[in-house]
Amino acid sequence: MRAVDKRRHEWLMGRCAAKEAVSLLLEKPLGARLPHAEIEIVPDPYGRPRAEGVWSVTLGTQPVISIAHSHGTAVALACLHPGQLVGIDLESLSHRCEDFEAIAFSPDERNLLAAMPRVSRQEWALRMWCAKEALGKALGRGLSAGLLAFHISRAEASTGMVNLELRAGALEHFPRLRGQSLTVYTARESDFVFAAVIYQQGAAE
Amino acid sequence: MRSRRQEVLDYLLQKMGELTQDWDYAEPVSAESLLFTELGFESLDAVVLCTAIQEHYQTPMPFAELLAEIGEQQRDLSIDELADFVDSHLGAHAETVGGTRRPQ
């Protein structure tokens, strides 16, 4: 498979995962599962995907979505309320932490990582990376604000929770988030780790 | 004698070949290859490559800013462009310390 084919394949898998998430989400309010063909995924002005269809008039809502794919696997997160910001990210455990932590993390973040049990350090490096990516997606900026603009202040091995604060590069766009600790949930599933965040939009504007 | 820019480009092409050798979807790598759309890079792959470059030259370079810039502009990055970036920062670093460090 060529790289272009791989991207198309993963894009398609991501769309399928997103439509399945929306179909599951709408099953209760609609009383039936929607076929994927009736769910259209469109970008908002920041490029964040949302779902719409003839049913969105009936329900009066367009669910917000986040999609991630890595190494042939795709995941998606959907929320009914359009005022919520959602972000999800996924990475394969095949990445070694020493191959990226020097650039991906600040010295303080690397200290947090060093405090993790040695046996799970690689997993936690990826969880922390995914947490940054997930929050970046939720805020609609990706990591374009800079790798260090999403600063990890706490990572809790027992719960998988990662707390982040916005720093220069991201704070300019979200001044109301200054000093706030944003919680991202992380977990491991088989040979992948993922991170997910749901945030109420009003607080981020 | 090869110029430093050519040396950097040769190193990047060799490193890219190593990184993508077991990727069954990677295109043949050339100076014009685009990391994300042609070689199938994901954002973490780009960070892994930048970390390897920094370690090879033992010189800190503002890769975080470079990756942020291409993210902000929603554009891709060619190996040629990356070679320019590395070469310019090696030059600036050499001027600062008054000499050129040899790569590992």
Side-chain angles (χ1 to χ4, degrees):
Chain A
M1 190 188 289
R2 296 181 310 135
V4 174
D5 298 328
K6 179 230 178 202
R7 289 179 71 85
R8 283 184 186 144
H9 180 67
E10 291 198 341
W11 180 88
L12 188 60
M13 286 199 308
R15 294 282 155 153
C16 289
K19 290 186 178 206
E20 185 64 12
V22 172
S23 179
L24 281 167
L25 184 71
L26 297 180
E27 185 174 7
K28 195 172 177 184
L30 288 175
R33 289 287 299 272
L34 271 175
H36 286 190
E38 290 183 25
I39 301 166
E40 189 180 358
I41 298 172
V42 294
D44 78 359
Y46 291 105
R48 294 174 297 206
R50 58 179 61 239
E52 65 178 30
V54 289
W55 47 269
S56 44
V57 179
T58 315
L59 289 179
T61 189
Q62 294 180 325
V64 288
I65 305 166
S66 182
I67 303 170
H69 41 70
S70 176
H71 291 71
T73 297
V75 290
L77 177 66
C79 274
L80 199 54
H81 197 286
Q84 286 171 319
L85 302 171
V86 298
I88 191 165
D89 193 49
L90 171 82
E91 289 293 348
S92 159
L93 274 166
S94 60
H95 292 287
R96 299 185 315 157
C97 57
E98 57 269 33
D99 288 343
F100 64 91
E101 63 181 37
I103 288 181
F105 302 127
S106 69
D108 285 347
E109 291 170 332
R110 291 200 293 274
N111 285 339
L112 279 177
L113 196 53
M116 288 293 170
R118 193 174 183 81
V119 67
S120 59
R121 190 164 172 199
Q122 175 196 5
E123 177 184 324
W124 269 93
L126 288 162
R127 284 183 187 233
M128 287 166 58
W129 168 264
C130 286
K132 288 185 181 220
E133 288 255 44
L135 184 60
K137 285 181 181 179
L139 296 177
R141 302 269 165 185
L143 287 182
S144 61
L147 297 171
L148 306 181
F150 299 93
H151 176 74
I152 296 172
S153 55
R154 189 161 178 255
E156 197 174 88
S158 60
T159 62
M161 298 296 181
V162 174
N163 289 87
L164 298 99
E165 294 167 4
L166 300 197
R167 294 273 169 92
L171 264 182
E172 297 84 337
H173 302 293
F174 305 99
R176 287 180 59 180
L177 292 179
R178 181 180 297 277
Q180 284 201 39
S181 179
L182 306 165
T183 302
V184 178
Y185 173 74
T186 72
R188 176 179 176 175
E189 184 75 34
S190 185
D191 292 334
F192 289 89
V193 297
F194 70 89
V197 60
I198 300 174
Y199 196 75
Q200 191 59 40
Q201 190 164 23
E205 290 169 340
Chain B
M1 185 180 164
R2 287 186 306 167
S3 67
R4 185 182 62 209
R5 167 68 169 70
Q6 186 61 46
E7 210 172 308
V8 169
L9 180 61
D10 291 346
Y11 163 69
L12 290 181
L13 290 171
Q14 176 216 325
K15 191 70 199 171
M16 291 298 301
E18 287 171 21
L19 281 175
T20 60
Q21 66 179 349
D22 57 348
W23 296 7
D24 56 4
Y25 47 79
E27 306 275 346
V29 180
S30 72
E32 292 76 34
S33 296
L34 294 168
L35 296 188
F36 299 97
T37 50
E38 290 181 12
L39 297 175
F41 264 47
E42 295 170 3
S43 51
L44 187 55
D45 298 319
V47 176
V48 168
L49 173 63
C50 293
T51 305
I53 296 168
Q54 194 163 275
E55 285 177 2
H56 178 76
Y57 289 105
Q58 294 189 299
T59 303
M61 298 179 213
F63 284 116
E65 287 81 352
L66 174 69
L67 296 174
E69 182 197 316
I70 63 171
E72 183 72 36
Q73 296 172 1
Q74 297 192 330
R75 65 184 178 87
D76 213 325
L77 183 69
S78 70
I79 294 180
D80 230 3
E81 194 182 351
L82 187 57
D84 284 339
F85 176 87
V86 173
D87 180 48
S88 68
H89 285 284
L90 286 176
H93 184 73
E95 283 175 18
T96 306
V97 300
T100 307
R101 289 186 187 180
R102 300 301 303 168
Q104 288 178 321

